[in-house]
């Protein structure tokens, strides 16, 4: 039996499992059919592409229940066009779950964004966040005019989200969905750790016409679905 003061690895895991049992029992006490309904289907209207930061849980922030939001998270909420993990999530969400909204959600004070512009080495993650440096360089004049580091980081968090929304819109699965008339919108939000509020960055995209022509898929060479 682990004591409350025991900090061993095994006791830490045992505590999580015990908390899980307590949570499950409390849910069943409130709603005996809850898990039966949850296991029967998954039909979310939303895909959340967010940061891996443990302080930004998608369900709690939006007040949604399990099963109501499909979630993908990575360091600094980046959408790489060669990330098969993320692309698989988007395809499943769009083609199978038929989500109506994809939200790219960053957060102010993001550690990945800070690391990208720190000129320090962090290892493998440096390759992952390299594109944020490109975003910084593209908006260097605007960012450096802010002078204060926290303001620069927060604005870069927003600019990163805006860039990733554009990347989502350039994926083939999203463009195919629009071409076949599927109701799908992409949104960019930023979350405030200090106040718990989401900020809509006003960059929502709902049709292929809003994507620059150079990034649009040429259907003449596409295999029909």
């Amino acid at each position: 039996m682990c004591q409350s003061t025991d900090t061993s690895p095994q006791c830490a895991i045992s505590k999580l499992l015990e908390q899980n049992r307590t949570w499950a029992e409390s849910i069943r006490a409130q709603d005996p059919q809850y898990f039966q309904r949850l296991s029967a289907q998954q039909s979310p209207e939303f895909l959340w592409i967010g940061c891996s930061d443990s302080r930004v849980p998608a369900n709690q922030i939006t007040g949604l229940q399990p099963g109501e939001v499909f979630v993908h998270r990575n360091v600094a909420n980046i959408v790489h066009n060669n990330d098969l993990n993320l692309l698989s999530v988007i395809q499943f969400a769009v083609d199978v779950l038929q989500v109506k909204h994809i939200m790219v959600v960053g957060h102010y004070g993001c550690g990945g964004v800070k690391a990208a512009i720190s000129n320090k080495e962090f290892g493998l993650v440096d390759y992952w966040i390299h594109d944020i440096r490109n975003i910084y360089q593209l908006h260097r004049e605007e960012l450096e005019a802010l002078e204060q580091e926290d303001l620069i980081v927060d604005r870069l968090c927003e600019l990163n989200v805006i860039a990733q929304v554009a990347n989502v819109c350039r994926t083939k699965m999203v463009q195919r969905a629009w071409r076949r008339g599927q109701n799908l919108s992409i949104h960019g939000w930023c979350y405030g750790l200090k106040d718990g509020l989401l900020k809509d960055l006003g960059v929502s995209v709902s049709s292929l016409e809003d994507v620059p022509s150079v990034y649009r898929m040429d259907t003449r060479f596409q295999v029909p679905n």
Side-chain angles (χ1 to χ4, degrees), residues 165-166 169 178 184-187 203-211:
V165 166
C169 295
W178 282 331
L184 178 65
S185 297
I186 320 300
H187 313 277
V203 292
S204 296
V205 182
S206 300
S207 71
L208 191 56
E209 287 66 36
D210 294 325
V211 178

Side-chain angles (χ1 to χ4, degrees), residues 27-64:
I27 294 294
R28 281 193 293 266
Q30 298 171 32
D31 183 354
Q33 303 302 315
Y34 178 83
F35 291 110
Q36 183 176 346
R37 289 197 310 271
L38 190 63
S39 64
Q41 64 177 353
Q42 176 180 221
S43 55
E45 292 189 7
F46 310 98
L47 167 60
W48 173 289
I49 300 174
C51 182
S52 298
D53 193 299
S54 60
R55 299 167 295 176
V56 193
N59 288 81
Q60 288 95 319
I61 288 172
T62 54
L64 294 173

Side-chain angles (χ1 to χ4, degrees), residues 14-34:
S14 296
K15 181 180 180 181
L16 292 183
L17 294 172
E18 179 59 34
Q19 288 176 179
N20 167 252
R21 286 189 289 270
T22 301
W23 170 77
E25 290 170 2
S26 68
I27 294 294
R28 281 193 293 266
Q30 298 171 32
D31 183 354
Q33 303 302 315
Y34 178 83

Side-chain angles (χ1 to χ4, degrees), residues 142-153:
E142 173 194 350
L143 291 167
E144 293 186 351
L146 297 174
E147 296 183 351
Q148 296 181 38
E149 181 182 359
D150 58 339
L151 297 179
I152 292 173
V153 169

